[in-house]
Amino acid sequence: MWKRLSHTHAAKSTEGSVPVDLSKWLLAITPIVLLLLLLSVFRWKAPQAGPLGMFLAAAVAVIFFRTSWETAAVGMGRGLWDAVFILLVIWPALLLYQVGVASGAFEGLRRGLSRYSRNHVFLVLAFGWVFVSFMQGVAGFGAPIAIVAPLLLAIGVRPVYAVVIPLIGHAWASMFGTLGIGWIALLQVVDIQDELATALATAALLAPVTLVSGVTIAWMAGKGPALRLAWPFILIIAVLHGGIQFVIMYWEPLLSNFLAGAVALVALYPLSRWSRYSEPAHDVKDAPAMRERGGEQEQSEDGADAAVMGLSWALLPYVVLTVVSVLTLAIGPVEDLLGKWEFGPPLPEVSTGYNVVTEGENSYSPIAPLTHPGFALLVAVLVSWLAFRAKGFFEAQERREGRTSFWAELAANATPASVAIMSFLVLASMMQVSGQTELLAQGVDEVLPPMVCAFASAYIGILGAFLTSSSTSANVLFGQLQQDIGVGAGLQPSGFLAAQGAGSSLGNVFAPANIVLGTGTAGIIGQEHQVLRKTLPWTLAVGALVGLLTLVLV
């Protein structure tokens, strides 16, 4: 499990003496503001907005933050290598998506699941909230978004909502997901005096987040009527998610999210047998997230219109994915053995004119290929490809729909997504090595009163996750700063650290790299602004809720 800490070096904090003044603070936040404006207001595509934001961050670093060209080059190298980690998720995920399309697996899923439960509200919540949370518990690093978005498409969800829903659905799970990697990272960079109190406080802040996620997703699936239909489902799952995670903190925080997600996933079966959720939601007429009114499908289940494969075959990739993820990530001895093979580039120590030092590393953020989430995706792709080809599903689907080149479609989706992700992470790294990122948080600390700082601590966590697209990296980046703010304000530092953890989970909802992961696998690269317009307000609103609850903890 500790092998996964290797990736947290991607956001290792820097130290220095950049003067904290308004002009410097405004310069530091300029790349972020530009990125948000281009994506949400001017509706630029992510592959266009990302590079412009990246170049602005580099220009600000060199011109105003006394960053040498060598330091800037190291920052670029760090960002590109960080992007490799994510690209090793998105390319296999896109490949799995193309296999599902070319073989008819998604049509098989849609048909099969409509027989399993014909209630679209139940299905949207089951995949977009419960299953994505379970996957976050074992895989993480954006993989759950890339996996679940195509599944939602298969049950009739509109493409933009197919990205928005899992982003919101997994918001509560990022901190203790991937078997507690975010918590491990926080322990590595902060000397926490009371670990249990901090873990419990974090779980307490995350519990209402999962409840709000469930309510939001139900609203998207059918507004008021859907909420009235789904409220028992939402309460049961929210109690399982938040309650089990809180209780397991007393035993083993690293397993808290995984066990909570697993129990909730198992609970889907008895819930699906309840007549309330097994029959179509006839009373739900206005369903914003669904392609057709009420989520009903128009095609016949029989005759020539039938899918080329049944539900059991269509589920094969996800069964393999889950099994391999659990074997390689949840079993300590297996993970330790597979994690021995890892590699990362050597990077020198660099500094800026303000003495912001970025330590050198012999192996920066090493990647262990066999325990990387992309490995499970690749195994799922290979097994599915061989099985579907042996059964003749590819040929049958080609005769039915006459699809275009498999590899051409893969490249068409993956290339712009790769450009966007690389530029976003280079931007984040450039801001980090030049001291811009830490200056933003320090500026907030210096101008706000103690209780306002406590309220804003969640937003510092959100900012870190937005910049790095990682709860883990956000905690490494701002964890020590949050504790220092709490101590300096004379308040409980455990509350600030809890808000940091909860905020870092929320920030993943509108982090650009995560959005691109979803739009890539949903086939809507270029519509990131539409996703951002739905996820940004939600994140800021829930961040305010977490901030208010933090005031009780400090």
Side-chain angles (χ1 to χ4, degrees), residues 305-375:
D305 224 10
V308 300
M309 70 172 74
L311 178 61
S312 58
W313 281 107
L315 286 172
L316 175 65
Y318 305 99
V319 172
V320 174
L321 177 64
T322 303
V323 170
V324 175
S325 296
V326 171
L327 287 176
T328 58
L329 300 178
I331 301 177
V334 175
E335 184 191 17
D336 291 340
L337 177 63
L338 297 178
K340 289 181 178 179
W341 177 39
E342 61 179 23
F343 55 89
L347 292 177
E349 179 177 299
V350 292
S351 62
T352 72
Y354 284 119
N355 197 34
V356 176
V357 178
T358 302
E359 297 179 3
E361 298 184 56
N362 293 326
S363 180
Y364 170 70
S365 190
I367 294 174
L370 298 181
T371 59
H372 187 282
F375 175 73

Side-chain angles (χ1 to χ4, degrees), residues 56-191:
L56 178 59
V60 170
V62 171
I63 298 172
F64 299 103
F65 284 79
R66 300 181 183 178
T67 303
S68 67
W69 290 109
E70 179 187 7
T71 302
V74 169
M76 178 173 289
R78 289 163 63 99
L80 289 174
W81 183 251
D82 294 341
V84 169
F85 193 97
I86 297 180
L87 293 178
L88 290 177
V89 173
I90 192 170
W91 278 81
L94 288 169
L95 189 58
L96 184 63
Y97 170 70
Q98 290 298 334
V99 168
V101 171
S103 64
F106 288 126
E107 181 65 12
L109 276 173
R110 184 185 68 76
R111 299 296 184 87
L113 290 172
S114 67
R115 291 192 293 270
Y116 177 73
S117 173
R118 293 182 292 169
N119 189 300
H120 79 278
V121 177
F122 174 85
L123 291 173
V124 170
L125 285 165
F127 282 107
W129 184 30
V130 182
F131 183 64
V132 77
S133 296
F134 169 74
M135 289 306 303
Q136 180 66 28
V138 294
F141 299 109
I145 310 303
I147 293 164
V148 172
L151 291 176
L152 291 172
L153 288 176
I155 60 173
V157 175
R158 298 178 188 275
V160 169
Y161 283 95
V163 180
V164 171
I165 286 172
L167 283 168
I168 290 175
H170 92 307
W172 74 281
S174 294
M175 175 60 181
F176 293 98
T178 322
L179 300 181
I181 182 62
W183 175 247
I184 294 174
L186 195 61
L187 292 177
Q188 286 294 99
V189 298
V190 181
D191 182 15

Side-chain angles (χ1 to χ4, degrees), residues 47 91 94 98 405-418 520 523 525:
W91 278 81
L94 288 169
Q98 290 298 334
S405 171
F406 177 94
W407 296 107
E409 291 191 10
L410 174 64
N413 285 324
T415 301
S418 301
I525 284 288

Side-chain angles (χ1 to χ4, degrees), residues 538-551:
W538 187 91
T539 304
L540 296 179
V542 180
L545 171 62
V546 171
L548 291 173
L549 295 174
T550 302
L551 299 179

Side-chain angles (χ1 to χ4, degrees), residues 437-462:
T437 301
E438 191 166 356
L439 174 65
L440 291 175
Q442 288 176 339
V444 172
D445 175 35
E446 290 201 4
V447 301
L448 298 181
M451 293 305 289
V452 178
C453 276
F455 175 81
S457 55
Y459 287 104
I460 294 177
I462 288 172

Side-chain angles (χ1 to χ4, degrees), residues 379-523:
V379 173
V381 168
L382 179 61
V383 172
S384 303
W385 177 283
L386 293 174
F388 292 167
R389 181 162 293 280
K391 294 292 294 183
F393 293 142
F394 289 108
E395 292 79 2
Q397 184 69 8
E398 186 176 359
R399 288 194 300 270
R400 177 175 171 169
E401 294 193 1
R403 298 199 58 81
T404 58
S405 171
F406 177 94
W407 296 107
E409 291 191 10
L410 174 64
N413 285 324
T415 301
S418 301
V419 171
I421 287 171
M422 287 188 290
S423 59
F424 290 145
L425 291 176
V426 169
L427 178 152
S429 180
M430 197 69 68
M431 292 184 64
Q432 182 190 340
V433 300
S434 63
Q436 295 177 65
T437 301
E438 191 166 356
L439 174 65
L440 291 175
Q442 288 176 339
V444 172
D445 175 35
E446 290 201 4
V447 301
L448 298 181
M451 293 305 289
V452 178
C453 276
F455 175 81
S457 55
Y459 287 104
I460 294 177
I462 288 172
L463 173 65
F466 171 79
L467 290 173
T468 64
S469 294
S470 167
S471 178
T472 300
S473 296
N475 290 331
V476 174
L477 194 60
F478 289 140
Q480 186 60 56
L481 177 67
Q482 292 272 32
Q483 174 154 286
D484 292 344
I485 293 174
V487 172
L491 301 173
Q492 289 292 335
S494 60
F496 283 81
L497 292 173
Q500 165 65 33
S504 69
S505 278
L506 288 173
N508 282 278
V509 175
F510 77 118
N514 289 342
I515 290 177
V516 174
L517 275 168
T519 56
T521 53

